[in-house]
Amino acid sequence: MLFPAKEWVGVACLLLSALSIQAEPLTRADALQTALEHNPEVATAHAAWKAEQARALQTWALAPPELELEYEGLPGAFDLGQYEQRTVGFSQRMPFPIKWWQRHQAANRLADAVRLSVYETTRLNIARDVQIAYDRVLTDQKV
């Protein structure tokens, strides 16, 4: 079941209070693990990080090869049956190896930045919200 981000803390409070009625108490670590595994914001941030890693992997790919057809000695513009010489060739452009490697390193650094700024930050924010909600429910039960 997916909930909007603003309702997640309220759902966590409801979940924690409902689970605390059972015979086996829910620990803070269990609540935190459950929230991080099932939160849609964490899943979205993880997908953004994996997409950036896939883009970094694509930097190793070469440009598509090019096909060249050359006709010499044509009597007319569209008369391809009468020619003196025909040349067919393939060409592949390759960047200088250092430039190729640096482009890949830059893409890897961008993927690391997305992991730290998006994925890890989202996980920390969700963990903070769940821990606050857990403490509030625990305090309410003790009061």
Side-chain angles (χ1 to χ4, degrees):
M1 175 181 269
L2 298 176
F3 298 100
K6 293 182 180 180
E7 295 179 11
W8 180 254
V9 175
V11 171
C13 289
L14 183 63
L15 176 70
L16 291 172
S17 63
L19 291 175
S20 64
I21 297 173
Q22 296 177 354
E24 184 178 315
L26 181 67
T27 64
R28 177 186 276 191
D30 292 339
L32 186 59
Q33 180 182 357
T34 301
L36 290 176
E37 287 175 359
H38 301 292
N39 191 294
E41 288 181 33
V42 173
T44 303
H46 187 263
W49 172 39
K50 290 299 179 184
E52 204 59 49
Q53 281 183 325
R55 282 188 209 98
L57 185 60
Q58 288 177 347
T59 60
W60 287 119
L62 294 173
E66 297 175 3
L67 173 66
E68 296 177 5
L69 297 174
E70 185 176 322
Y71 290 91
E72 292 182 10
L74 291 175
F78 297 104
D79 190 14
L80 297 179
Q82 304 291 326
Y83 57 88
E84 292 177 10
Q85 183 179 355
R86 175 177 58 189
T87 306
V88 178
F90 288 97
S91 64
Q92 175 69 52
R93 293 183 185 260
M94 286 186 58
F96 192 67
I98 293 175
K99 182 179 179 182
W100 198 19
W101 180 78
Q102 286 176 339
R103 186 179 322 141
H104 181 69
Q105 291 300 315
N108 276 340
R109 299 295 182 267
L110 182 60
D112 289 342
V114 168
R115 178 182 61 85
L116 292 173
S117 67
V118 176
Y119 179 63
E120 293 297 331
T121 303
T122 303
R123 285 179 53 88
L124 288 173
N125 289 340
I126 297 301
R128 178 200 62 212
D129 292 344
V130 168
Q131 289 175 356
I132 289 171
Y134 184 88
D135 291 341
R136 285 182 182 163
V137 169
L138 191 63
T139 303
D140 289 344
Q141 285 180 349
K142 288 186 178 183
V143 169

